Amino acid sequence: MIGRDLLARGVRSLTGGGDVRIQPTAGPGRAGLVLLRVGSRAPALFTLDRAEL
């Protein structure tokens, strides 16, 4: 489970630590995607639509 505070910060800038990292991609305002990376050795990468967060 990803905390709301971590996700809210990840919409604006690179955040997280350890095995969870969240960062926005380029795009004006809330356009674009948020990348969620979970794991370090064989990470899972998820993309989320920033406009829906």
Side-chain angles (χ1 to χ4, degrees):
M1 177 145 324
I2 305 298
R4 286 185 286 181
D5 293 339
L6 181 64
L7 190 54
R9 286 191 307 268
V11 170
R12 295 184 305 274
S13 64
L14 174 62
T15 191
D19 287 343
V20 178
R21 303 271 183 189
I22 304 174
Q23 73 182 68
T25 62
R30 293 184 62 82
L33 300 173
V34 173
L35 302 178
L36 168 61
R37 180 179 173 206
V38 180
S40 58
R41 296 192 69 140
L45 182 63
F46 301 91
T47 57
L48 309 166
D49 187 347
R50 276 180 24 183
E52 294 184 17
L53 298 177

